[in-house]
Amino acid sequence: MTKAPFVAMSAATAVLGTALGALALQLRANGYEQYVESVATFSVLMYVTAALVAVTWIRDGRPRSN
């Protein structure tokens, strides 16, 4: 399997996590406290997903033994 899908997916989810984190900060600054926790949780979820994709990328590159 090529490395490009792993890199693109990991980068895209990390960028989405960053954007959602910025949105959570903006919501807090504008007084929309009821939405901050949900958006921040989803931001963390995107970072975890990016990390798991990176782990999959690393594991895919390891030689297989039969």
Side-chain angles (χ1 to χ4, degrees):
M1 192 179 251
T2 64
K3 301 294 182 189
F6 291 115
V7 174
M9 179 62 119
S10 185
T13 53
V15 167
L16 181 58
T18 302
L20 289 169
L23 176 62
L25 292 174
Q26 188 65 37
L27 287 171
R28 177 166 293 178
N30 289 339
Y32 293 102
E33 289 290 328
Q34 67 268 27
Y35 302 112
V36 171
E37 184 178 353
S38 300
V39 174
T41 300
F42 196 66
S43 174
V44 171
L45 180 65
M46 290 297 100
Y47 282 121
V48 170
T49 303
L52 290 174
V53 169
V55 167
T56 303
W57 175 22
I58 292 167
R59 290 181 53 91
D60 182 63
R62 294 174 35 194
R64 290 163 178 73
S65 61
N66 288 331

